[in-house]
Amino acid sequence: MTEETPGFDEKPDVPSGATPDDAEPQAATPSTEEAAAPAGDASAVQTAGLTAQLDQVRTALGERTMDLQRLQAEYQNYRRRVERDRIAVKEIAIANLLTELLPVLDNIARARDHGELVGGFKSVAESLETVAAKMGLQQFGKEGEPFDPMIHEALMHSYAPDVTETTCVAILQPGYRIGERTIRPARVAVAEPQPGAQTVKADEAEAADDKESGGPDEG
C-alpha cells in the first residue's frame, strides 16, 4: 500500500519550458475596432452638442443685434424730434418777441418820415432795426403790387381807371414776416378797376383794329 506524503498538493503537469502562467486561461482582449467604436460615438455626440450650443448663441446674438439696431433707430428719431421741437420753440419765442417790437418799429418809421429821427435816437433806432433784421425779421409791402389776401389786409377801397386788377395803391402799415411765416399782414389801401372801364377799353381796342384793317366791309 502506497503512502501519501502529507502537506503536498498535486499540481498539474506543466510542459517543459513553459511558465506557470501559461497554464492559466487568458482573458479575452477586445479588438481595436470594438474599442474605437464607443469613442467615435462619444465624439459625435459631443460635436452635435457643441453645434447646437453654437446655433443657440448665434440666434441670441442675432436677436440682440436686432434689438440694438431698433434702439439705435429709436434714439435717432428721438434726437431728430427733439431738435425739431427745439427749433420750433426757438422760432416761436423769436416771433413773439419781434411781434411785441412791431409798434416800436412803426414809431421809428413814422419818426423817419417826419424827419424826427436825429441824434442819439437815430443811432438807437437803427441799432434796433439791425438786431431785428439779424433775428430774421423781414418787411414787405410795396405800392403797385397786386393785392394778395394772404399777406395783405385792405383797410381802404377805391376804384381807379388805370388798374386792371385789385392793386395796392398805398401802404398804410408795412407787413412783417420771419422766413415763410407772416407775423403781421401789410395794411394797405386797394383800388379796383373802374366799373365799365374794361368794356370801354374793349370797344376802343375793337375800333382800333377796324381802323387798321380799313374799316368795316362795304356791301
Side-chain angles (χ1 to χ4, degrees), residues 50-109:
L50 292 176
T51 302
Q53 293 181 1
L54 180 60
D55 291 339
Q56 293 178 357
V57 171
R58 286 176 176 173
T59 301
L61 178 61
E63 293 176 353
R64 299 294 85 77
T65 301
M66 292 179 61
D67 293 341
L68 181 60
Q69 292 175 347
R70 183 169 58 254
L71 290 175
Q72 186 176 10
E74 292 177 356
Y75 177 67
Q76 293 297 333
N77 293 334
Y78 168 77
R79 286 188 59 186
R80 285 192 290 266
R81 185 168 60 253
V82 169
E83 182 66 15
R84 184 170 59 250
D85 293 344
R86 185 187 66 81
I87 294 175
V89 170
K90 179 181 178 180
E91 290 178 349
I92 292 174
I94 292 175
N96 292 338
L97 173 62
L98 294 177
T99 300
E100 295 297 325
L101 290 178
L102 293 185
V104 179
L105 298 176
D106 291 336
N107 291 333
I108 292 174

Coordinates of all heavy atoms in Angstrom, one line a residue, residues 50-109:
L50 N -22.1 70.6 -29.2 CA -21.4 71.9 -29.4 C -22.1 72.7 -30.6 O -22.2 73.9 -30.5 CB -19.9 71.7 -29.7 CG -19.1 71.2 -28.5 CD1 -17.7 70.9 -29.0 CD2 -19.1 72.2 -27.4
T51 N -22.5 72.0 -31.6 CA -23.1 72.6 -32.8 C -24.5 73.2 -32.3 O -24.8 74.3 -32.7 CB -23.4 71.6 -33.9 OG1 -22.1 71.1 -34.3 CG2 -24.0 72.3 -35.1
A52 N -25.2 72.5 -31.5 CA -26.5 73.0 -31.0 C -26.3 74.3 -30.2 O -27.0 75.3 -30.3 CB -27.2 71.9 -30.2
Q53 N -25.3 74.2 -29.3 CA -25.0 75.4 -28.5 C -24.5 76.6 -29.3 O -24.9 77.7 -29.1 CB -23.9 75.1 -27.5 CG -24.3 74.1 -26.4 CD -23.1 73.8 -25.4 OE1 -22.0 74.3 -25.5 NE2 -23.4 72.9 -24.5
L54 N -23.8 76.3 -30.4 CA -23.3 77.4 -31.3 C -24.5 78.0 -32.0 O -24.6 79.2 -32.1 CB -22.3 76.8 -32.3 CG -21.8 77.9 -33.3 CD1 -21.0 79.0 -32.6 CD2 -20.8 77.2 -34.3
D55 N -25.5 77.2 -32.4 CA -26.7 77.7 -33.1 C -27.5 78.6 -32.1 O -28.0 79.6 -32.5 CB -27.5 76.5 -33.6 CG -26.9 75.8 -34.7 OD1 -26.0 76.4 -35.4 OD2 -27.3 74.6 -35.0
Q56 N -27.6 78.1 -30.9 CA -28.3 79.0 -29.9 C -27.6 80.3 -29.6 O -28.3 81.3 -29.5 CB -28.4 78.2 -28.5 CG -29.3 76.9 -28.6 CD -29.3 76.2 -27.3 OE1 -28.6 76.5 -26.3 NE2 -30.1 75.1 -27.2
V57 N -26.3 80.3 -29.6 CA -25.5 81.5 -29.4 C -25.7 82.5 -30.6 O -25.9 83.7 -30.4 CB -24.0 81.2 -29.2 CG1 -23.2 82.5 -29.2 CG2 -23.8 80.5 -27.8
R58 N -25.7 81.9 -31.8 CA -25.9 82.7 -33.0 C -27.3 83.3 -33.0 O -27.5 84.5 -33.4 CB -25.7 81.9 -34.2 CG -24.2 81.5 -34.5 CD -24.1 80.6 -35.7 NE -22.7 80.4 -36.0 CZ -22.2 79.5 -36.9 NH1 -23.1 78.7 -37.6 NH2 -20.9 79.3 -37.1
T59 N -28.3 82.5 -32.6 CA -29.7 83.0 -32.6 C -29.8 84.2 -31.6 O -30.4 85.2 -31.8 CB -30.6 81.9 -32.2 OG1 -30.5 80.9 -33.2 CG2 -32.1 82.4 -32.2
A60 N -29.2 84.0 -30.4 CA -29.3 85.0 -29.3 C -28.5 86.3 -29.8 O -29.0 87.4 -29.6 CB -28.7 84.5 -28.0
L61 N -27.4 86.1 -30.5 CA -26.6 87.2 -31.0 C -27.4 88.0 -32.0 O -27.5 89.2 -32.0 CB -25.3 86.7 -31.6 CG -24.4 87.8 -32.2 CD1 -24.0 88.9 -31.1 CD2 -23.2 87.2 -32.8
G62 N -28.1 87.3 -32.9 CA -29.0 87.9 -33.9 C -30.1 88.7 -33.3 O -30.4 89.8 -33.7
E63 N -30.7 88.2 -32.2 CA -31.8 88.9 -31.6 C -31.3 90.1 -30.9 O -31.9 91.2 -30.9 CB -32.5 87.9 -30.5 CG -33.2 86.8 -31.2 CD -33.8 85.8 -30.1 OE1 -33.4 86.0 -28.9 OE2 -34.5 84.9 -30.5
R64 N -30.1 90.0 -30.2 CA -29.6 91.1 -29.5 C -29.2 92.2 -30.5 O -29.3 93.4 -30.3 CB -28.3 90.7 -28.7 CG -28.6 89.7 -27.6 CD -29.5 90.3 -26.5 NE -30.9 90.2 -26.8 CZ -31.6 89.0 -26.7 NH1 -30.9 87.9 -26.3 NH2 -32.8 89.0 -26.9
T65 N -28.6 91.8 -31.7 CA -28.3 92.8 -32.7 C -29.5 93.5 -33.2 O -29.4 94.7 -33.4 CB -27.6 92.0 -33.9 OG1 -26.4 91.4 -33.4 CG2 -27.1 93.0 -35.0
M66 N -30.6 92.8 -33.5 CA -31.8 93.4 -33.9 C -32.3 94.4 -32.9 O -32.8 95.5 -33.2 CB -32.9 92.4 -34.2 CG -32.5 91.5 -35.5 SD -33.8 90.3 -35.8 CE -35.2 91.3 -36.1
D67 N -32.3 94.0 -31.6 CA -32.7 94.9 -30.5 C -31.8 96.2 -30.5 O -32.3 97.3 -30.3 CB -32.6 94.2 -29.2 CG -33.6 93.1 -29.0 OD1 -34.6 93.1 -29.8 OD2 -33.4 92.2 -28.2
L68 N -30.5 96.0 -30.7 CA -29.6 97.2 -30.7 C -29.9 98.1 -31.9 O -29.9 99.3 -31.7 CB -28.2 96.7 -30.7 CG -27.1 97.8 -30.7 CD1 -27.2 98.6 -29.5 CD2 -25.7 97.2 -30.8
Q69 N -30.2 97.5 -33.0 CA -30.5 98.3 -34.2 C -31.8 99.1 -34.0 O -31.9 100.2 -34.4 CB -30.5 97.4 -35.4 CG -29.2 96.9 -35.9 CD -29.3 95.9 -37.0 OE1 -30.4 95.4 -37.3 NE2 -28.2 95.6 -37.6
R70 N -32.8 98.4 -33.4 CA -34.1 99.1 -33.1 C -33.9 100.2 -32.1 O -34.5 101.3 -32.3 CB -35.1 98.1 -32.6 CG -36.5 98.6 -32.4 CD -37.5 97.5 -32.1 NE -37.1 96.7 -31.0 CZ -36.7 95.5 -31.1 NH1 -36.5 94.9 -32.2 NH2 -36.4 94.8 -30.0
L71 N -33.1 100.0 -31.1 CA -32.9 101.0 -30.1 C -32.2 102.2 -30.7 O -32.4 103.4 -30.4 CB -32.1 100.5 -28.9 CG -32.9 99.5 -28.0 CD1 -31.9 98.9 -26.9 CD2 -34.0 100.2 -27.3
Q72 N -31.2 101.9 -31.6 CA -30.4 103.0 -32.3 C -31.3 103.8 -33.2 O -31.3 105.0 -33.2 CB -29.3 102.4 -33.1 CG -28.4 103.4 -33.7 CD -27.2 102.8 -34.4 OE1 -27.1 101.6 -34.6 NE2 -26.2 103.6 -34.8
A73 N -32.2 103.1 -33.9 CA -33.2 103.9 -34.8 C -34.1 104.7 -33.9 O -34.4 105.9 -34.3 CB -34.0 102.9 -35.6
E74 N -34.6 104.2 -32.8 CA -35.5 105.0 -32.0 C -34.8 106.2 -31.4 O -35.3 107.3 -31.2 CB -36.0 104.1 -30.8 CG -37.0 103.0 -31.3 CD -37.4 102.1 -30.2 OE1 -36.9 102.3 -29.0 OE2 -38.3 101.2 -30.4
Y75 N -33.5 106.0 -31.0 CA -32.7 107.1 -30.5 C -32.5 108.2 -31.5 O -32.6 109.4 -31.2 CB -31.4 106.6 -30.0 CG -30.5 107.7 -29.4 CD1 -30.8 108.4 -28.3 CD2 -29.3 108.0 -30.1 CE1 -30.0 109.4 -27.8 CE2 -28.5 109.0 -29.6 CZ -28.8 109.7 -28.5 OH -28.0 110.6 -28.0
Q76 N -32.2 107.8 -32.8 CA -32.0 108.8 -33.8 C -33.3 109.5 -34.1 O -33.3 110.7 -34.3 CB -31.6 108.1 -35.1 CG -30.2 107.5 -35.1 CD -29.1 108.5 -34.8 OE1 -29.2 109.7 -35.2 NE2 -28.0 108.1 -34.2
N77 N -34.5 108.8 -34.1 CA -35.7 109.5 -34.3 C -36.0 110.5 -33.1 O -36.5 111.6 -33.3 CB -36.9 108.5 -34.4 CG -36.8 107.7 -35.6 OD1 -36.2 108.1 -36.6 ND2 -37.3 106.5 -35.6
Y78 N -35.6 110.0 -31.9 CA -35.8 110.9 -30.7 C -35.0 112.2 -30.9 O -35.4 113.3 -30.6 CB -35.5 110.1 -29.5 CG -35.3 111.0 -28.2 CD1 -36.4 111.4 -27.6 CD2 -34.1 111.3 -27.7 CE1 -36.3 112.2 -26.4 CE2 -33.9 112.1 -26.6 CZ -35.1 112.5 -26.0 OH -34.9 113.3 -24.8
R79 N -33.7 112.0 -31.3 CA -32.8 113.2 -31.4 C -33.4 114.1 -32.5 O -33.4 115.3 -32.3 CB -31.4 112.7 -31.9 CG -30.6 112.1 -30.7 CD -29.2 111.8 -31.2 NE -28.6 113.0 -31.6 CZ -27.3 113.1 -32.1 NH1 -26.7 112.0 -32.3 NH2 -26.8 114.3 -32.4
R80 N -33.9 113.6 -33.6 CA -34.4 114.5 -34.7 C -35.7 115.2 -34.1 O -35.9 116.4 -34.4 CB -34.8 113.6 -35.9 CG -33.5 113.3 -36.7 CD -33.9 112.7 -38.1 NE -34.5 111.4 -38.0 CZ -33.9 110.3 -38.1 NH1 -32.6 110.3 -38.3 NH2 -34.5 109.1 -38.0
R81 N -36.5 114.5 -33.4 CA -37.7 115.1 -32.9 C -37.4 116.2 -31.9 O -38.0 117.3 -31.9 CB -38.6 114.0 -32.2 CG -40.0 114.5 -31.8 CD -40.9 113.4 -31.4 NE -40.4 112.5 -30.4 CZ -39.9 111.3 -30.5 NH1 -39.8 110.8 -31.8 NH2 -39.4 110.6 -29.5
V82 N -36.4 115.9 -31.0 CA -36.0 116.9 -30.0 C -35.5 118.1 -30.7 O -35.8 119.3 -30.3 CB -35.0 116.3 -29.0 CG1 -34.4 117.4 -28.2 CG2 -35.7 115.3 -28.1
E83 N -34.6 117.9 -31.7 CA -34.0 119.0 -32.5 C -35.1 119.8 -33.2 O -35.1 121.1 -33.2 CB -33.0 118.5 -33.5 CG -32.3 119.6 -34.3 CD -31.4 120.5 -33.4 OE1 -31.1 120.1 -32.3 OE2 -31.0 121.6 -33.9
R84 N -36.1 119.1 -33.8 CA -37.2 119.8 -34.5 C -38.0 120.7 -33.5 O -38.4 121.8 -33.8 CB -38.0 118.8 -35.2 CG -39.1 119.4 -36.0 CD -39.8 118.4 -36.9 NE -40.4 117.3 -36.1 CZ -39.9 116.1 -36.1 NH1 -38.8 115.7 -36.8 NH2 -40.5 115.1 -35.3
D85 N -38.3 120.1 -32.3 CA -39.0 120.8 -31.3 C -38.3 122.0 -30.8 O -38.8 123.1 -30.5 CB -39.4 119.9 -30.2 CG -40.4 118.8 -30.6 OD1 -41.0 118.9 -31.7 OD2 -40.5 117.8 -29.9
R86 N -37.0 121.8 -30.6 CA -36.1 122.9 -30.1 C -36.1 124.1 -31.1 O -36.3 125.2 -30.7 CB -34.7 122.4 -29.9 CG -33.8 123.5 -29.3 CD -32.3 123.0 -29.3 NE -31.8 122.8 -30.6 CZ -31.3 123.9 -31.3 NH1 -31.3 125.1 -30.8 NH2 -30.8 123.7 -32.5
I87 N -36.0 123.8 -32.4 CA -36.1 124.8 -33.4 C -37.4 125.5 -33.4 O -37.5 126.8 -33.6 CB -35.7 124.2 -34.8 CG1 -34.3 123.8 -34.8 CG2 -35.9 125.3 -35.9 CD1 -33.9 123.1 -36.1
A88 N -38.5 124.7 -33.3 CA -39.8 125.3 -33.3 C -40.1 126.2 -32.2 O -40.6 127.3 -32.3 CB -40.9 124.2 -33.4
V89 N -39.6 125.8 -31.0 CA -39.8 126.6 -29.8 C -39.0 127.9 -29.9 O -39.4 129.0 -29.6 CB -39.3 125.8 -28.5 CG1 -39.2 126.7 -27.3 CG2 -40.3 124.7 -28.2
K90 N -37.8 127.8 -30.5 CA -36.9 129.0 -30.7 C -37.6 130.0 -31.6 O -37.6 131.2 -31.4 CB -35.6 128.6 -31.2 CG -34.6 129.7 -31.5 CD -33.3 129.2 -32.0 CE -32.4 130.4 -32.3 NZ -31.0 129.9 -32.9
E91 N -38.2 129.4 -32.8 CA -38.8 130.3 -33.7 C -40.0 131.0 -33.1 O -40.3 132.2 -33.4 CB -39.2 129.5 -35.0 CG -38.0 129.0 -35.8 CD -38.4 128.2 -37.0 OE1 -39.6 127.8 -37.0 OE2 -37.6 127.9 -37.9
I92 N -40.8 130.2 -32.3 CA -42.0 130.8 -31.7 C -41.6 131.9 -30.7 O -42.2 133.0 -30.6 CB -42.8 129.7 -31.0 CG1 -43.4 128.8 -32.0 CG2 -43.9 130.3 -30.1 CD1 -44.1 127.6 -31.4
A93 N -40.5 131.7 -29.9 CA -40.0 132.7 -29.0 C -39.6 134.0 -29.7 O -39.9 135.1 -29.3 CB -38.9 132.1 -28.1
I94 N -38.8 133.8 -30.8 CA -38.4 134.9 -31.6 C -39.5 135.7 -32.2 O -39.6 136.9 -32.2 CB -37.4 134.5 -32.6 CG1 -36.1 134.0 -32.0 CG2 -37.1 135.6 -33.6 CD1 -35.1 133.4 -33.0
A95 N -40.5 134.9 -32.7 CA -41.7 135.6 -33.3 C -42.5 136.4 -32.3 O -42.9 137.5 -32.6 CB -42.6 134.5 -34.0
N96 N -42.6 135.8 -31.1 CA -43.3 136.5 -30.0 C -42.6 137.8 -29.6 O -43.2 138.9 -29.4 CB -43.5 135.6 -28.8 CG -44.5 134.5 -29.1 OD1 -45.3 134.6 -30.0 ND2 -44.4 133.4 -28.3
L97 N -41.3 137.7 -29.5 CA -40.5 138.9 -29.2 C -40.6 140.0 -30.2 O -40.9 141.2 -29.9 CB -39.1 138.5 -28.9 CG -38.1 139.7 -28.7 CD1 -38.4 140.4 -27.5 CD2 -36.6 139.1 -28.7
L98 N -40.4 139.6 -31.5 CA -40.5 140.6 -32.5 C -41.9 141.2 -32.7 O -42.0 142.3 -33.1 CB -40.0 140.0 -33.9 CG -38.5 139.6 -33.9 CD1 -38.1 138.9 -35.2 CD2 -37.6 140.8 -33.6
T99 N -42.9 140.4 -32.5 CA -44.3 140.9 -32.5 C -44.5 142.0 -31.5 O -45.2 143.0 -31.8 CB -45.3 139.7 -32.3 OG1 -45.1 138.7 -33.3 CG2 -46.7 140.3 -32.4
E100 N -43.9 141.8 -30.4 CA -44.0 142.9 -29.3 C -43.2 144.2 -29.8 O -43.6 145.3 -29.3 CB -43.5 142.4 -28.0 CG -44.3 141.2 -27.4 CD -45.7 141.7 -27.1 OE1 -45.9 142.8 -26.7 OE2 -46.7 140.8 -27.2
L101 N -42.2 144.0 -30.6 CA -41.4 145.2 -31.0 C -42.0 145.9 -32.2 O -41.5 147.0 -32.6 CB -40.0 144.7 -31.3 CG -39.1 144.3 -30.2 CD1 -37.8 143.8 -30.7 CD2 -38.9 145.4 -29.2
L102 N -43.0 145.3 -32.9 CA -43.5 145.9 -34.1 C -44.1 147.4 -33.9 O -43.8 148.2 -34.7 CB -44.6 145.1 -34.7 CG -44.2 143.7 -35.3 CD1 -45.3 143.0 -36.0 CD2 -43.0 143.9 -36.2
P103 N -44.8 147.6 -32.8 CA -45.2 149.0 -32.6 C -44.0 150.0 -32.4 O -44.1 151.1 -32.9 CB -46.0 148.9 -31.3 CG -46.5 147.5 -31.2 CD -45.4 146.7 -31.8
V104 N -42.9 149.5 -31.8 CA -41.7 150.4 -31.7 C -41.2 150.6 -33.1 O -40.8 151.8 -33.4 CB -40.7 149.7 -30.8 CG1 -39.4 150.6 -30.7 CG2 -41.3 149.4 -29.4
L105 N -41.1 149.6 -33.9 CA -40.6 149.8 -35.3 C -41.5 150.7 -36.1 O -41.0 151.5 -36.9 CB -40.5 148.4 -36.0 CG -39.5 147.5 -35.4 CD1 -39.5 146.1 -36.1 CD2 -38.1 148.0 -35.4
D106 N -42.8 150.6 -35.9 CA -43.7 151.6 -36.6 C -43.5 153.0 -36.1 O -43.5 153.9 -37.0 CB -45.2 151.2 -36.2 CG -45.6 149.8 -36.9 OD1 -45.0 149.5 -37.9 OD2 -46.5 149.2 -36.4
N107 N -43.2 153.2 -34.9 CA -42.9 154.6 -34.4 C -41.6 155.1 -35.0 O -41.5 156.3 -35.3 CB -42.9 154.6 -32.9 CG -44.2 154.4 -32.2 OD1 -45.3 154.7 -32.8 ND2 -44.2 153.8 -31.0
I108 N -40.7 154.2 -35.1 CA -39.4 154.6 -35.7 C -39.6 155.0 -37.2 O -39.1 156.0 -37.7 CB -38.4 153.5 -35.6 CG1 -38.0 153.3 -34.2 CG2 -37.1 153.8 -36.5 CD1 -37.1 152.1 -34.0
A109 N -40.4 154.3 -37.9 CA -40.7 154.6 -39.3 C -41.5 155.9 -39.4 O -41.1 156.7 -40.3 CB -41.6 153.5 -39.9

